[in-house]
Amino acid sequence: MTATEAAPRTSLTVTEASAAVLAELRPMESETISLVQAAGRVLACEVTSPLALPPWDNSSMDGYAVRAADVRGARSDAPVALPVTATIAAGAQPTMPLAPGTAMRIMTGAPVPEGADSVIRVEDTDRGDERVLIIDARDAGRNVRPRGEDLRAGEVAARAGTSLGPAQLGVLASVGAREIVVHRRPRVAVLSTGDEVVDLDAFDEVLAGRRIVSSNSYTLRAAVAEAGAEVVDLGICPDDRDALRTRIEEARDAKCDLVLTSGGVSVGTYDFTREVLRELGARMRFWRVKIRPGGPLGFGLLGGMPWLGLPGNPVSAMVTFELFARPAIRRLRGELLPFPRPFSVVVDDEVSIAAPLTHFFRVTVAPDEGGQLRARLTGPQGSGLLTSMARADALLVVPLEQYGRGPVSPGTVLQALPLGDRPLRAAELAL
Ligand code: AMP
Ligand code: MG
């Protein structure tokens, strides 16, 4: 460490630590791509509409364009008869205005002729060809969608920072944005460390009781991809300084935008990750966060490349991914809201915390008969119990201030964080 370089901060709260991570990250540079390839990207420039949408007053019904004044009082026992002077298909342009006392047959989306202020749905007529009988006046003054109702010419159709899902892509297509400026997708390296972990090709070693599967390689690669980044798989590395150095240099030389390591960041004799990063000249920003699971998290910068050292325990790796890596990826992608949105739940089980740390419990969330969301623990909460995570919808947050105040009793309202980008099962059930 040079004299001017600060020692890494330690024992940060979750809020301090996530702010420290985001403070070092900027959105990726922009690139122009075809709209056809833009699903899942994030817009880097706002897009304005060169036209009004809809571009003309159009019908929201299949029926007859009329003047409201001509159909007032129409009933089945006192229908109003109007001559039909034209038929306007969805792709057609009306060639003449609607004369008073007449009707034009019109299809959904077709331009409403000048002079018409209503479309009588076909069900309220006798479907006449040359003359139509209107048998209900309920549509008088209705079913005309005005020009520019959706977007006015010159209005912003999508802002910078918008994540492009189906609806956003549809809007951009509607305004002719054939090519758009988006942020480049970040490249995120994933490296699992540990002498004890192997990939599935060595599963016989696992069955023999000598090794465990590197499940973190699978959870973290999937989480990175789900978060919308490109995965750079650095595989598995033993607890060996030279091997670690080589892999991390690989990530740096491959110009990754973020490197995630799992394991080797705690205080064990073979926990070399931080040491190797320091030797490579990384600026260490913090180590250890007041959370459980996931306390021994590290964060630093190797040249311009941010490094997040996630703990090896499978649940700790996933929880710290949600709390720190996913928001980091969102920021790199150019998204405006990097943090997960907490929501309120009623706790169903008694939960207690045994240390002054913010705790994240794996829970399932479902609404009760009153529609209130209730959270239940998925079972024992050890940081090695990956099935507790696999069953969870959300992380229940017990703030560190709860420490020393006894258990949180059932019925208490707490905040929870949704897991990943998965829609909350509870929200589906509440439909
Ligand atoms: P560490 O953070 O390196 O001390 O690892 C803590 C524990 O997490 C280890 O004892 C392993 O049981 C487990 N672990 C570490 N890396 C992985 C991995 N890649 N996949 C699954 N479990 C892991
Ligand atoms: Mg280890």
Side-chain angles (χ1 to χ4, degrees):
M1 202 191 319
T2 64
T4 52
E5 194 180 332
R9 298 159 75 196
T10 189
S11 298
L12 275 62
T13 64
V14 62
T15 315
E16 290 165 344
S18 39
V21 173
L22 282 212
E24 301 290 353
L25 304 176
R26 299 283 165 273
M28 298 289 93
E29 69 278 9
S30 55
E31 60 183 355
T32 301
I33 61 167
S34 150
L35 188 63
V36 176
Q37 264 130 27
R41 295 298 203 94
V42 178
L43 213 51
C45 292
E46 74 177 20
V47 174
T48 55
S49 178
L51 78 171
L53 281 180
W56 49 72
D57 293 351
N58 72 94
S59 174
S60 67
M61 289 279 176
D62 292 323
Y64 292 83
V66 299
R67 294 170 185 249
D70 290 340
V71 300
R72 287 254 149 75
R75 298 196 314 259
S76 54
D77 55 351
V80 169
L82 297 172
V84 179
T85 59
T87 295
I88 312 164
Q93 295 297 325
T95 50
M96 54 184 181
L98 182 85
T102 68
M104 287 185 189
R105 192 191 283 118
I106 190 166
M107 309 306 144
T108 302
V112 171
E114 208 186 304
D117 58 9
S118 318
V119 173
I120 308 298
R121 72 191 76 181
V122 74
E123 295 87 344
D124 289 351
T125 73
D126 70 343
R127 302 167 193 254
D129 282 334
E130 279 160 22
R131 191 202 66 160
V132 64
L133 287 181
I134 311 291
I135 56 175
D136 197 319
R138 62 178 160 164
D139 286 339
R142 307 184 67 171
N143 301 335
V144 178
R145 301 187 286 212
R147 170 188 157 84
E149 183 186 34
D150 203 0
L151 281 173
R152 295 182 309 277
E155 193 176 337
V156 175
R159 298 185 184 287
T162 301
S163 263
L164 301 178
Q168 294 74 23
L169 294 171
V171 168
L172 291 174
S174 305
V175 303
R178 196 185 277 255
E179 302 218 300
I180 52 171
V181 182
V182 294
H183 291 285
R184 177 168 71 71
R185 243 155 53 103
R187 288 158 44 79
V188 177
V190 175
L191 174 63
S192 299
T193 74
D195 284 343
E196 74 280 29
V197 293
V198 292
D199 206 343
L200 291 172
D201 56 355
F203 195 63
D204 51 345
E205 289 280 295
V206 176
L207 284 178
R210 286 191 289 269
R211 294 284 186 270
I212 59 168
V213 172
S214 175
S215 58
N216 289 351
S217 303
Y218 289 82
T219 54
L220 293 175
R221 284 187 308 232
V224 167
E226 183 193 57
E230 191 183 314
V231 180
V232 178
D233 186 11
L234 297 183
I236 298 170
C237 180
D239 292 316
D240 172 275
R241 287 186 183 82
D242 292 335
L244 260 173
R245 189 176 302 114
T246 307
R247 294 297 176 87
I248 292 167
E249 279 173 333
E250 241 176 72
R252 185 185 56 191
D253 298 344
K255 299 214 179 322
C256 290
D257 302 301
L258 172 66
V259 56
L260 301 178
T261 58
S262 88
V265 282
S266 196
V267 289
T269 310
Y270 303 102
D271 289 344
F272 298 133
T273 315
R274 288 181 301 132
E275 191 182 312
V276 165
L277 271 140
R278 263 198 313 271
E279 285 167 12
L280 285 169
R283 285 183 295 142
M284 304 306 262
R285 308 310 268 176
F286 67 74
W287 176 57
R288 282 199 165 160
V289 182
K290 288 195 238 174
I291 56 173
R292 180 170 290 167
L297 177 84
F299 176 59
L301 295 155
L302 182 55
M305 184 180 74
W307 160 76
L308 264 172
L310 313 181
N313 274 305
V315 175
S316 309
M318 285 201 78
V319 168
T320 49
F321 181 91
E322 291 302 322
L323 297 176
F324 303 99
R326 188 184 293 276
I329 291 172
R330 288 200 180 115
R331 165 59 58 88
L332 294 172
R333 280 168 44 77
E335 293 181 56
L336 297 178
L337 298 171
F339 292 117
R341 257 177 275 177
F343 60 100
S344 298
V345 290
V346 177
V347 183
D348 254 359
D349 300 300
E350 182 175 289
V351 283
S352 51
I353 64 175
L357 306 168
T358 303
H359 281 58
F360 297 89
F361 292 97
R362 276 77 73 204
V363 292
T364 55
V365 178
D368 58 21
E369 307 82 62
Q372 173 71 58
L373 294 177
R374 305 192 78 95
R376 301 201 71 120
L377 298 180
T378 56
Q381 296 284 314
S383 61
L385 307 178
L386 193 48
T387 56
S388 75
M389 194 74 188
R391 282 194 299 270
D393 302 320
L395 296 173
L396 178 74
V397 187
V398 180
L400 58 82
E401 293 79 17
Q402 184 64 33
Y403 178 66
R405 292 188 194 160
V408 175
S409 38
T412 307
V413 175
L414 286 178
Q415 296 292 95
L417 301 174
L419 277 174
D421 284 342
R422 264 183 290 165
L424 205 56
R425 206 178 310 152
E428 283 170 39
L429 290 170
L431 280 180

